[in-house]
Amino acid sequence: MADPHRPSRNLPVSLVARDPAEARRRADRLLRRPVDPRTRASALRVSGLAAYELGLVDEARKRLDSAVSVAVRAGLPDQAAMARASRLGVAARRGDECGTLPPSPFRVSAFTLLGRGVAACQSGRFADALAAFAAAEPAFRSSSDPRLLPGLLCSQGLALVHTERFGEAEEVLHEGLALAEKYSLRRLGAAITQNLGCLAASRGDTALAMERFDAAAPLLGAGTRHPALVLDRAHALADAGMLREAGVLRRSLGPARGGGADRALTELLSLKLAVGHADTAAAEAAVRRLRHLFGADSSWLRAAEQISRPPGSAPVAPRPAPGRPSRAPSSRTATPHLELAAHVGSPDTTRALGDVAAALRAGNAAAALLWSERSRALTTEAHTCQNREWTALLDRYRRAHAAFAESGSAEDHRELARLEVELAVGQWHPCCRRRPPAPSAPGGELLDRLARGLGSRALVHYPEPDGVPAAITLVDGRARLHELPDARTIGDAVAAFEHLARLHAVTPRPQTARLLAERAAAVDRLLVAPVAAAVGDRDLVVVPGPNTQTLPWGLLPGLRGRPVSVAPSGRAWLRCRDRARRTRRERPRVLLVAGPRLAAAEAEIRAVARRHRGARTVTGAAACSRTVLRHLARADLAHIGAHGFASGGAPMCTGLWLADGPLFAYDVERVRRLPSLVVLSSCDTGRSAPTASGLPLGMAAALLARGSATVLASVLPVPDGATAAAMVRAHSALLAGAAPAAVVAEHLAATGFVCFGAG
């Protein structure tokens, strides 16, 4: 009897797994000729399966229905059973209701079991799926066509991922991939690679997951499998804390329809986004839809209940491997990209923040400080990004920014938003993945180093864990806790103060000044007064929390005139201080840059240049991004006067306007060496956005993370020409040996400048 898996010597079913378009063409050519019923039924089945892979769902259904009809009329039970099994698999993947199949010979029922296993996966019944795959596996392994086995292994491996049997999943998927490569089943190999990406994401290795999704994309970027690839990528980004990018990918798929795994993953992604944005109503609606679609006994619903449970572990729930208690420990990956470093360790950060809260409740100041530091222990790798595709994408974004500034059109704005997401996602390229960073110092050793490094200074940490408002100080080696008002009260007061400070910076008025003083005093009472007795009149190192990330500290009454250094963590401040000491030169190499369309900037640069003999000055058309980046790598002190802007939705797209468009925070990651001291005489370039890991994102934050020791930048708008005289005095003080934090306190704090890093 002919093997039902081989409808024709020239038309094997496995051709669908290699090249569905070619399989469809061959099947259609065969169907145009007079052929016997067996060949016609088999060709219809191949054509239907190929059409499904290409996204032609209606055609696939019609062809598979015809295959069943032809086989039944011709009295070919094997062929009819195979066609029904294929129809079942297609219906299952679409989330359609699947009926039962009549009994069939063993060699055919193995394929039927595969279809039933796929159907069980689609409805979230993974234990049933694995049982069906296990029952079918012996027949597939002994089949006369070894090209059928990798298809089973592909589905079996994904079911193992969803049941958290990661070691078995890896073994099964790699066996399937090896077979797919051996028999040139390119599309199936891409599907298995996609599933390996899901495995990596479930283990917390987002970088490896994105690498595997990228590898699968060329063969799965269109057709029926495309939505699943987009969803898997979006889930990995959401789990890494990149909610904005995950949301854009979700919206690219349009409204959720139908059933099956794609619908379940769509609803689970919507749930993750709702939980991440604290949208309770949207989260509850997503859970209701999942319960209605899949029932109370589905693993999809159990995953939803985990994601939406009250805070206490991760702010963004783990990838929906149903039934799993928590995401697997993260696999830290060293990367030069600050945005990725801020996200790849979020599960570790979450655990550390939980320990911070526990220590605060117990009144253990030293433990709370230690865990606060560990929650912010992530760093970027020293190597620079050399990925040409990502660099080209960054240049495209620069040109698009310039085009939008010129036109202001909605179309150009949409292009900007699209490229922002591409830039964020594109950072996961494998060439920037390196060995993990060295383990951090033990707790006691870290606190001792901090105490010695601070000397006469005081450290003030504002960790802001949920439900435990407190500040932690470290003074003369002693850690203390200080009770604060609740986070909402602080957040509202800071937001009101910052809003008025920004308004007053642009349009100063006497009545605004009086109200601003009142609001500054209110914030001072909430944040500074509770620690005042402990810190006395010492210089401060401040580690802000999410609510205080962009605060102009020098405008608060209790800090006016006092040197204040702001850093992401005490450990980061120590690194910056050490850099400043290592790179100190008797005659520093100075770079002075003036951006375009800003006459005051050129005047400021000329005035500052008179204080620095031999300084390199770059102005006018010469002040383009490539030139400035090249000169930054050779300078010890850089001063850039240009229009600045902050991008709230994409903080690494914060930038400085140069002759060819903006110089972005992203650009800093391409410079092999950065000046020890950078002065940004521009609006908003000190602003940053907080992340779950505690690492801030923005221009000043990127400079510090990538190697600068100190950055002087404003968190407020800076009117043209308003700082020229102050900047000249500031540079004179720096040349006279004054510490940067003291220079800011005396000359620049009144205009919203902050000393970031070593002060």
Side-chain angles (χ1 to χ4, degrees):
M1 181 181 292
D3 187 339
H5 296 304
R6 293 178 179 270
S8 164
R9 183 174 58 192
N10 298 318
L11 189 60
V13 175
S14 57
L15 182 59
V16 176
R18 179 185 305 157
D19 187 342
E22 177 61 20
R24 182 167 173 256
R25 282 193 294 270
R26 287 196 197 179
D28 290 350
R29 281 200 302 268
L30 198 59
L31 291 169
R32 286 195 291 268
R33 305 202 307 262
V35 292
D36 62 86
R38 181 182 298 279
T39 302
R40 175 166 291 277
S42 297
L44 284 166
R45 176 170 161 253
V46 170
S47 179
L49 291 171
Y52 177 77
E53 289 293 329
L54 296 171
L56 306 171
V57 178
D58 290 338
E59 179 182 323
R61 287 171 172 163
K62 291 176 183 176
R63 290 294 172 99
L64 292 171
D65 285 343
S66 297
V68 173
S69 299
V70 168
V72 169
R73 287 197 302 270
L76 301 169
D78 287 0
Q79 296 295 333
M82 291 297 298
R84 288 191 184 101
S86 297
R87 187 172 61 181
L88 169 68
V90 166
R93 287 188 172 93
R94 295 293 299 170
D96 297 338
E97 291 293 330
C98 302
T100 59
L101 292 173
S104 55
F106 175 77
R107 63 171 177 267
V108 177
S109 66
F111 203 80
T112 303
L113 285 167
L114 171 61
R116 287 174 175 162
V118 170
C121 283
Q122 297 294 313
S123 61
R125 294 179 291 107
F126 294 103
D128 294 345
L130 288 171
F133 295 146
E137 187 175 349
F140 275 87
R141 288 192 178 277
S142 61
S143 170
S144 59
D145 188 352
R147 293 171 295 184
L148 296 172
L149 178 59
L152 169 74
L153 298 177
C154 178
S155 298
Q156 186 180 41
L158 185 59
L160 288 166
V161 170
H162 281 296
T163 52
E164 285 196 291
R165 293 160 64 177
F166 297 145
E168 295 172 72
E170 185 169 28
E171 184 178 334
V172 166
L173 289 171
H174 278 296
E175 181 187 1
L177 184 60
L179 289 170
E181 291 173 348
K182 178 179 179 179
Y183 296 112
S184 300
L185 307 177
R186 293 184 297 274
R187 189 173 176 87
L188 178 57
I192 296 172
T193 300
Q194 177 185 349
N195 290 349
L196 283 166
C198 296
L199 172 62
S202 294
R203 284 174 158 170
D205 191 343
T206 310
L208 180 58
M210 300 305 290
E211 180 182 340
R212 286 172 169 168
F213 294 148
D214 287 344
L219 287 172
L220 302 181
T224 312
R225 296 186 185 269
H226 173 65
L229 181 61
V230 173
L231 285 167
D232 286 340
R233 196 190 299 266
H235 272 286
L237 291 171
D239 290 344
M242 301 178 77
L243 298 180
R244 177 175 180 267
E245 292 74 17
V248 170
L249 291 179
R250 163 65 190 90
R251 290 190 294 275
S252 73
L253 295 173
R257 296 189 178 92
D262 284 2
R263 177 62 184 272
L265 289 172
T266 300
E267 297 295 351
L268 287 168
L269 178 60
S270 297
L271 176 58
K272 287 183 180 183
L273 297 174
V275 170
H277 293 302
D279 188 341
T280 305
E284 291 174 350
V287 174
R288 285 196 301 271
R289 289 193 297 270
L290 283 162
R291 182 177 290 110
H292 172 73
L293 287 164
F294 298 100
D297 62 341
S298 170
S299 293
W300 297 129
L301 185 63
R302 289 196 294 274
E305 290 167 348
Q306 278 190 303
I307 292 168
S308 55
R309 66 186 173 184
S313 48
V316 178
R319 176 180 171 73
R324 55 192 293 186
S326 64
R327 183 171 169 170
S330 71
S331 175
R332 290 182 183 264
T333 302
T335 170
H337 295 292
L338 177 62
E339 193 167 20
L340 301 195
H343 292 305
V344 293
S346 56
D348 298 318
T349 298
T350 299
R351 286 189 287 272
L353 286 174
D355 290 326
V356 172
L360 289 174
R361 291 189 186 97
N364 190 332
L369 179 57
L370 171 62
W371 286 113
S372 292
E373 286 293 316
R374 286 188 176 174
S375 74
R376 301 177 178 214
L378 301 174
T379 59
T380 59
E381 183 70 355
H383 67 275
T384 57
C385 176
Q386 301 295 330
N387 186 274
R388 292 183 180 180
E389 291 181 7
W390 192 75
T391 299
L393 185 62
L394 189 56
D395 286 336
R396 277 175 57 200
Y397 182 65
R398 197 183 329 278
R399 292 192 295 271
H401 228 294
F404 174 66
E406 192 72 28
S407 70
S409 72
E411 182 179 350
D412 285 342
H413 185 265
R414 284 192 295 271
E415 175 68 1
L416 268 185
R418 186 187 67 79
L419 288 173
E420 282 176 5
V421 173
E422 277 196 49
L423 276 168
V425 176
Q427 297 171 93
W428 296 104
H429 39 256
C431 62
C432 279
R433 296 176 69 231
R434 295 289 191 274
R435 63 190 180 282
S440 56
E445 181 182 333
L446 172 61
L447 295 186
D448 289 343
R449 284 185 57 218
L450 269 175
R452 290 195 304 270
L454 287 167
S456 61
R457 302 177 189 86
L459 174 71
V460 184
H461 225 297
Y462 295 99
E464 296 186 26
D466 287 336
V468 194
I472 310 167
T473 58
L474 183 64
V475 181
D476 295 332
R478 180 184 175 189
R480 302 181 196 178
L481 295 182
H482 308 271
E483 187 175 349
L484 297 179
D486 63 273
R488 182 167 185 175
T489 299
I490 293 174
D492 289 346
V494 169
F497 168 56
E498 287 186 9
H499 173 75
L500 194 61
R502 296 181 66 78
L503 181 66
H504 186 68
V506 177
T507 53
R509 293 173 180 161
Q511 58 269 38
T512 308
R514 287 193 297 273
L515 183 56
L516 181 62
E518 293 174 8
R519 292 186 178 178
V523 173
D524 192 272
R525 285 193 297 273
L526 296 173
L527 293 174
V528 180
V531 302
V535 302
D537 61 354
R538 292 172 172 83
D539 294 358
L540 297 185
V541 175
V542 172
V543 178
N547 282 319
T548 53
Q549 199 85 56
T550 57
L551 192 63
W553 295 92
L555 296 183
L556 302 183
L559 302 182
R560 197 168 292 138
R562 185 196 300 233
V564 176
S565 304
V566 176
S569 66
R571 191 195 311 258
W573 178 82
L574 282 176
R575 282 196 301 270
C576 290
R577 185 205 59 166
D578 291 345
R579 285 179 201 150
R581 290 178 175 177
R582 287 196 309 268
T583 56
R584 187 174 293 133
R585 298 166 69 104
E586 188 174 336
R587 296 194 61 184
R589 296 165 294 179
V590 178
L591 171 67
L592 306 175
V593 179
R597 299 182 296 279
L598 201 59
E602 293 201 18
E604 179 177 298
I605 290 300
R606 287 194 297 270
V608 171
R610 288 193 284 272
R611 297 292 187 276
H612 295 282
R613 293 183 179 179
R616 181 185 295 275
T617 302
V618 183
T619 62
C624 61
S625 57
R626 185 168 298 182
T627 300
V628 171
L629 289 172
R630 185 172 68 251
H631 291 319
L632 278 174
R634 301 167 184 168
D636 302 304
L637 185 158
H639 178 116
I640 303 177
H643 281 300
F645 62 92
S647 178
M652 292 301 288
C653 293
T654 293
L656 297 152
W657 275 99
L658 298 180
D660 61 338
L663 178 76
F664 300 110
Y666 277 133
D667 283 305
V668 170
E669 298 170 345
R670 301 161 52 209
V671 183
R672 59 179 175 79
R673 178 192 173 280
L674 286 167
S676 176
L677 173 61
V678 179
V679 181
L680 301 177
S681 182
S682 57
C683 301
D684 293 325
T685 45
R687 296 184 71 80
S688 60
T691 63
S693 68
L695 275 180
L697 301 179
M699 177 62 80
L703 286 163
L704 287 183
R706 297 298 301 140
S708 292
T710 309
V711 178
L712 311 185
S714 180
V715 296
L716 299 177
V718 179
D720 295 351
T723 60
M727 282 296 175
V728 172
R729 292 194 298 271
H731 277 273
S732 297
L734 288 169
L735 285 170
V743 169
V744 169
E746 185 173 354
H747 301 290
L748 301 174
T751 49
F753 277 78
V754 174
C755 175
F756 297 97

